[in-house]
Amino acid sequence: MKTIIIGGTAAGTSAAVKVQKLAEDPEVVIYEKGDLVSLGACGLPYYIGDYFEDANQMIAREKAAFEKQGITIKLHHEVLAVDTTAKTVHVKPAEGEEFIDHYDKLMVATGSSVVLPPVKRVDFENLYTVKTMSDGKNLKKHLSQADIQRVTIVGGGYIGVEIAEALLHLDKEVQLIQMEANLLQDSFDSEINELMAAKMREANVDLHLSETVKEFEGDHTVQWVITDKGRYKTDLVIVAIGVRPATAFLGKEFATLKNGALIVDNQGRTNVPDVWSAGDCATVDFLNTGEKRYIPLATGANKLGRVAGESMAGKATTYPGSLGTAGVKFQELEMARTGLTEREAKDLGLNYKAVVINDKNQTNYYPGQKDIRIKLIYEADTRRILGGQIAGENGAALRIDTLAAAITGQLTTETLGLLDLLYAPPFARTWDALNIAGNVAK
C-alpha cells in the first residue's frame, strides 16, 4: 500500500509513523516543501527571545530517524495539485523537473499559512511573520542589531502575546496593535483577558486596542505604522494576526469550512475516498457540541494525525474530539482555557450560567501565595460544566487540565466542588480554588 503524505509537521509525521508500523506492506512517502520535518513551531517565540540558543531543540524528530523506520521524506518538494480520480499528486521539486506520483491512500497535512493585513504593501525588509524555522532565525538575527529598538506587533492572539514577552526579554520597546477590543479575544472572556492587558501595560507594553492597521509606510523598511487612530514610529514589524488552512491547491470536490479547512470525521477521513487530513488544514470535532471546528493547535494535530494514520492502516481508532484546551504565559501571568467561552455559549443559544471567583493558589504561610481567578461556564439546569478559564501564577494554568477532564467526563459543578483534589501548603489550600469555583456555581 502506497501512502503519500503532503506535509511533514505534527499531523503528517504522526500519521506516517502509524501507517509504517501498522499497515501491511507499507510504502510511505512524505512530500514537504520546506527544509525540515517535525518542527515544533510553538517554541519560536522563545527561541527568538533568547530563552534558548539551539534552534534544533524545536525539532521533535530528525529526518534520519523517520528514514530509519522506512519512511521516505522528500524535502523541498511542493505538491501543486491532487487528482483524486487518477489518485495522483503533481509534485514540484526545488531542483529538477516536476513529476506525477501515484497513491493508494493520501494524507493532506499541509498545515496553515499566515494571514497578512489587507494593506497595499507588505514587502518590507523589516516586516516579519513567525511561522517557520527560517522566520525565527531571520527575525532573531535582525533583532540583534543595535538600531532595532522599537518593535511593533500587529495582532494580540497567542503568538502576539508570546512575542511581546520575548521582545521585552531582549530589552526592546514594544507596541502592540490589536483590531479587537481585547487581547486573546477568541479564546478568553473579558474577566480573564483583562488581566493580560493589565499585566502587559504594567510591563510597559504600549497597547493599542480596537485599532486597525491601514498602511505600512516606508521605502525598503517600515518606518511608520498607520492605523485608523494614529501614526506610530517603528524599527521593525511582526505580524501575528492569525493563520488560514493551506488548502488552496486542492480541487472543489473537497468539503471545507468557509476558511478552507477540510471537513473530516473522527478518523480524519475527508469526503473524498482514500483521502485523510489532520492538523492546521482540517477541522476537528468539538467535544462539547459535535461541531466541525477549526482549532489550529499542535495537540489536536498530533492526536488526530495519529488516529488518521491508524485509520489508513485499517484500524478502527477514533478521535473523541477537542476542547480547544490551550494556555499562554506573559512574564509571571499564566492563562489557560478549555471548552466553551461564555460568548460561544450565548451564540449557541444554550441555557447556561457563568461564575467568576477570585481566590488564592496556596496557603498564606508558605512563600509564593498568588491570586488566582477562575471562570466556569455550565448548563443552568444540570450544572454540567461546559467551559473554564483560569488566570494566575505559579502553575495556575495547569489546573485547566482538571477542567478539561471534568468536561470530557461530563462532570457537574457540584462534583467539582467536592472533587478530591491535591492539598499541600506549597500547592493549594484545603479547598482548592477549583473546589471553590464548583461550590459557587449553583
Side-chain angles (χ1 to χ4, degrees), residues 93-322:
E95 297 181 359
E97 297 183 356
E98 298 177 13
F99 61 91
I100 302 296
D101 198 1
H102 178 273
Y103 67 85
D104 295 306
K105 295 184 178 179
L106 178 69
M107 169 82 166
V108 180
T110 45
S112 59
S113 56
V114 295
V115 176
L116 293 170
V119 297
K120 65 181 181 181
R121 186 184 169 196
V122 292
D123 60 334
F124 295 93
E125 295 173 0
N126 64 340
L127 188 148
Y128 289 88
T129 57
V130 182
K131 189 73 167 65
T132 67
M133 181 76 87
S134 294
D135 291 338
K137 288 182 175 180
N138 292 334
L139 177 54
K140 185 182 180 81
K141 182 178 180 180
H142 202 156
L143 287 168
S144 69
Q145 298 177 12
D147 60 337
I148 305 299
Q149 290 300 315
R150 186 161 183 79
V151 181
T152 302
I153 301 169
V154 180
Y158 290 105
I159 298 298
V161 169
E162 290 167 355
I163 286 291
E165 180 187 34
L167 293 172
L168 292 178
H169 196 248
L170 296 174
D171 294 323
K172 305 297 182 183
E173 298 176 32
V174 183
Q175 56 188 7
L176 188 150
I177 300 171
Q178 163 81 335
M179 184 171 63
E180 286 83 13
N182 298 296
L183 299 166
L184 302 154
Q185 183 158 305
D186 292 338
S187 296
F188 295 90
D189 292 317
S190 59
E191 300 95 335
I192 303 297
N193 57 31
E194 69 183 13
L195 299 178
M196 180 61 75
K199 184 66 177 178
M200 293 182 79
R201 289 191 173 104
E202 180 186 313
N204 294 319
V205 174
D206 186 10
L207 285 184
H208 297 267
L209 304 179
S210 299
E211 200 159 341
T212 303
V213 171
K214 294 295 185 180
E215 185 179 354
F216 299 118
E217 189 177 281
D219 295 324
H220 299 293
T221 61
V222 182
Q223 297 175 340
W224 296 89
V225 179
I226 314 300
T227 75
D228 57 348
K229 295 183 179 179
R231 186 170 183 263
Y232 308 108
K233 182 70 174 173
T234 193
D235 298 321
L236 186 144
V237 174
I238 300 170
V239 175
I241 60 175
V243 297
R244 63 168 60 94
T247 58
F249 69 100
L250 295 172
K252 294 183 179 179
E253 68 269 30
F254 286 94
T256 68
L257 298 182
K258 290 182 179 180
N259 69 350
L262 294 170
I263 296 174
V264 299
D265 66 11
N266 60 7
Q267 289 188 309
R269 292 177 181 269
T270 71
N271 65 302
V272 177
D274 295 323
V275 182
W276 284 254
S277 184
D280 289 5
C281 59
T283 62
V284 291
D285 289 356
F286 191 60
L287 191 59
N288 270 28
T289 62
E291 300 169 90
K292 302 294 183 181
R293 284 199 178 189
Y294 183 60
I295 306 177
L297 294 171
T299 46
N302 277 286
K303 292 165 187 171
L304 185 54
R306 173 178 175 163
V307 167
E310 293 184 359
S311 176
M312 285 188 283
K315 306 302 178 183
T317 314
T318 58
Y319 180 51
S322 172

